[in-house]
Amino acid sequence: MSNDTIRLTSFSHGGGCGCKIAPGVLSEILKNSSGFPVPKELMVGIETSDDAAVYKLNDEQALIATTDFFMPIVDDPYDFGRIAATNAISDVYAMGGTPIMALALVGMPINKLPIETIGQIIKGGESICAEAGIPIAGGHTIDSVEPIYGLVVLGLVHPSRVKRNADARAGDVLILGKPLGVGVLSAALKKGQLDAAGYQAMIANTTKLNKPGKALAELSGVHAMTDVTGFGLLGHLLELARGAGLTAELKMADIPLLPGVEQLAHDGYFTGASGRNWEGYGKDVALAPGISTAQHMLLTDPQTSGGLLVSCDPASAAEVLALFRKEGFEHAAVIGQMAAGSPRVVVA
């Protein structure tokens, strides 16, 4: 079987960040987890569902540690590797850090995939690590029923510049770095309904490193930051709202979308993860009557390697947008604000 005839997505029951365990199920799994002694050096752990763990090494350095891996979201092995690596490295940027090293996590059906295909997946990941300026210094491989690829990523940040997802303030504006719709495009791709332009838009979005994170962390007006991935915009914004004890207010018309995704969602191309996400957190979201079904699906759409979500002082918004533009994030936009109120999201 040649690489040209292999459909990687046919080996997996889900793809990309749509593979995540649904938020409601995950909460149920973790609710009875026993507590562990927490060292004072652990600056960020599991308490607010943040993007990565952060451990203070000294007064000048804190170590960021994260991992992410999933099944194929696309059929091209090189692109799959690139997407998975970009997604994993993003968590370091979301904490305001600089990645320094990665370890590869590789699970492959050895008896079904040619060695050349597996090699292309790994090369794709290596190309993104090279772009981020880090080595893949090791890893672990297993023979798996479904193809799985991802990274453990380590990074460094000054302890005073760690950007948690729980420090938003009332009056902050919300800025999203990348447009939504990756899950919708992946659903159309899996059903053979995504054209070449749509595929290129999907790859461009999912392989763009969230490098502005480090510079954003240096701005005093940036209070909180995360990246939008498998739980969709609403899910990750709810984590900000819950962490800060505030209400997040969104304007649907201001949210950037990938080209054509609203029509595709209207035509029924969306992932099962969208519905599972809504089941997990919909009770804490108020949608205006004018929000269409397609828009609803895009708000819960799982974003593989999605954009940074920034909560900042209104006076810093122009500088935040300028930093995004400098790195080529032309779709970055103000999409709402944080306000006093119970932890929830309101969409107008």
Side-chain angles (χ1 to χ4, degrees):
M1 184 182 292
S2 71
N3 286 354
D4 293 336
T5 60
I6 292 173
R7 294 199 63 191
L8 284 180
T9 54
S10 69
F11 289 89
S12 58
H13 73 280
C17 285
C19 298
K20 276 189 174 183
I21 294 176
V25 177
L26 183 59
S27 296
E28 189 68 20
I29 291 170
L30 296 177
K31 74 175 184 179
N32 294 321
S33 295
S34 59
F36 295 95
V38 177
K40 67 182 188 305
E41 294 86 358
L42 186 63
M43 298 178 63
V44 182
I46 64 172
E47 56 281 343
T48 60
S49 303
D50 220 320
D51 298 294
V54 182
Y55 188 94
K56 185 176 180 180
L57 299 174
N58 52 55
D59 290 342
E60 300 295 322
Q61 292 177 313
L63 179 69
I64 302 171
T66 185
T67 186
D68 235 311
F69 52 89
F70 45 62
M71 282 87 81
I73 189 174
V74 296
D75 293 315
D76 183 276
Y78 189 74
D79 285 343
F80 170 41
R82 293 170 68 211
I83 293 167
T86 308
N87 180 72
I89 297 170
S90 179
D91 287 339
V92 172
Y93 293 128
M95 302 304 298
T98 301
I100 58 171
M101 182 176 70
L103 305 174
L105 302 172
V106 183
M108 295 290 156
I110 299 299
N111 62 334
K112 295 181 180 179
L113 285 182
I115 297 300
E116 293 79 8
T117 298
I118 299 171
Q120 283 298 305
I121 294 170
I122 293 171
K123 283 184 179 179
E126 289 173 343
S127 74
I128 292 297
C129 287
E131 186 179 336
I134 62 173
I136 296 181
H140 186 64
T141 60
I142 63 169
D143 189 354
S144 171
V145 175
E146 295 179 281
I148 298 169
Y149 180 72
L151 302 174
V152 173
V153 188
L154 301 179
L156 291 174
V157 64
H158 193 285
S160 68
R161 291 175 180 163
V162 174
K163 294 301 176 183
R164 305 193 312 154
N165 68 354
D167 295 330
R169 302 178 189 177
D172 278 359
V173 297
L174 295 165
I175 296 176
L176 180 62
K178 289 183 183 181
L180 302 181
V182 171
V184 166
L185 293 180
S186 70
L189 175 67
K190 200 160 188 176
K191 295 178 181 178
Q193 298 300 312
L194 187 65
D195 60 20
Y199 183 78
Q200 289 306 314
M202 177 181 171
I203 297 303
N205 205 63
T206 54
T207 60
K208 192 169 187 60
L209 287 163
N210 280 321
K211 289 183 177 181
K214 181 180 183 296
L216 291 170
E218 297 173 1
L219 300 181
S220 60
V222 172
H223 300 142
M225 193 156 57
T226 189
D227 59 354
V228 179
T229 55
F231 297 154
L233 176 60
L234 291 182
H236 294 286
L237 185 51
L238 267 172
E239 291 174 344
L240 262 71
R242 290 166 178 162
L246 298 171
T247 294
E249 300 173 343
L250 289 180
K251 291 185 179 179
M252 187 69 216
D254 294 339
I255 298 172
L257 303 176
L258 285 163
V261 294
E262 191 165 355
Q263 183 60 50
L264 285 170
H266 174 76
D267 293 340
Y269 296 105
F270 45 82
T271 70
S274 290
R276 293 192 296 274
N277 282 343
W278 182 252
E279 289 173 9
Y281 54 65
K283 60 182 175 54
D284 293 324
V285 179
L287 299 177
I291 301 298
S292 68
T293 299
Q295 291 170 331
H296 184 177
M297 290 297 101
L298 286 163
L299 289 169
T300 60
D301 190 48
Q303 301 306 289
T304 300
S305 189
L308 294 176
L309 179 61
V310 180
S311 181
C312 69
D313 186 286
S316 300
E319 191 171 5
V320 169
L321 288 170
L323 282 172
F324 273 119
R325 302 277 189 268
K326 183 180 178 182
E327 293 286 349
F329 290 77
E330 68 275 7
H331 296 291
V334 175
I335 62 170
Q337 63 184 7
M338 302 299 291
S342 60
R344 62 179 186 142
V345 178
V346 177
V347 186

